Amino acid sequence: MDNININTKHTEQGIYDALVGDRGWDPKNAKIFASEKTKALRDSAMEFVEENALCG
């Protein structure tokens, strides 16, 4: 579970950096978008862990 949380933060930062640095997005909008996308990914990963009893 800790690994999912760590990866979520790294992914969020990577998305944000790419949107602002490479695509010229407004930082506020990039933060919101990155947060929404990584929350969905995290929720999916957590659901997978629970469904497959991967964490005890």
Side-chain angles (χ1 to χ4, degrees):
M1 297 279 210
D2 288 340
N3 193 35
I4 291 172
N5 292 328
I6 292 167
N7 287 340
T8 298
K9 288 315 248 178
H10 288 295
T11 301
E12 183 176 358
Q13 188 64 49
I15 292 171
Y16 174 85
D17 290 345
L19 292 174
V20 173
D22 298 339
R23 297 187 180 201
W25 279 42
D26 173 68
K28 183 178 177 182
N29 291 334
K31 174 74 172 158
I32 292 167
F33 182 85
S35 294
E36 289 173 354
K37 294 302 176 186
T38 54
K39 182 183 181 322
L41 289 169
R42 182 187 179 280
D43 290 348
S44 178
M46 297 296 270
E47 183 178 318
F48 181 85
V49 166
E50 291 174 8
E51 287 175 356
N52 293 282
L54 298 176
C55 187

